[in-house]
Amino acid sequence: QVQLVESGGKLVQPGGSLRLSCAAPNPARSGLILLYDTIGWFREAPGKQREGLACISVRDGRSTYTASAQGRFTTSRDNVNNTVYLQIDRLQPEDTAVYYCVTDCEVFDEALVGSWGQGTQVTVSS
């Protein structure tokens, strides 16, 4: 199973921005493009079901977003440094959640996700 390591979660005031990182360590140094098809993001808010947000093709950089992530979320990848990012703008208290990095996210189906990171906590509060 792939090891994914998220970082960047913290306490942020409403209206602020945040960039989360997902490192996909690759001891073989062969690059993201040779190991994974897609890497993306889910989140789990308190008392709510886990939901998909964004998914990016490692090969061509094309991104897809769920309705929950349209407009304020942007995902990108750095194949040289084996890292995928999630930029979140205009943060709202409802964005408070644990954010997870995943592989195999094309259809945003938890049952089809290959690997999960340990999650990073984002808290939006004044």
Side-chain angles (χ1 to χ4, degrees), residues 81-100:
N81 293 306
N82 294 332
T83 303
V84 172
Y85 303 100
L86 182 69
Q87 175 75 28
I88 313 172
D89 297 318
R90 304 188 301 282
L91 280 155
Q92 304 166 1
E94 306 85 81
D95 295 318
T96 295
V98 178
Y99 286 73
Y100 296 93

Side-chain angles (χ1 to χ4, degrees), residues 17-82:
S17 296
L18 196 62
R19 189 176 79 161
L20 305 180
S21 299
C22 171
N26 175 15
R29 299 185 181 276
S30 52
L32 283 174
I33 199 170
L34 295 180
L35 293 180
Y36 320 120
D37 291 329
T38 58
I39 296 181
W41 298 87
F42 278 65
R43 71 180 177 185
E44 185 171 5
K48 295 186 178 181
Q49 284 191 325
R50 197 152 38 184
E51 62 174 345
L53 297 171
C55 186
I56 189 166
S57 166
V58 172
R59 183 168 298 277
D60 61 19
R62 293 184 184 183
S63 302
T64 56
Y65 301 89
T66 63
S68 296
Q70 289 284 350
R72 298 187 297 115
F73 293 71
T74 305
T75 190
S76 60
R77 94 273 193 239
D78 180 346
N79 285 0
V80 173
N81 293 306
N82 294 332

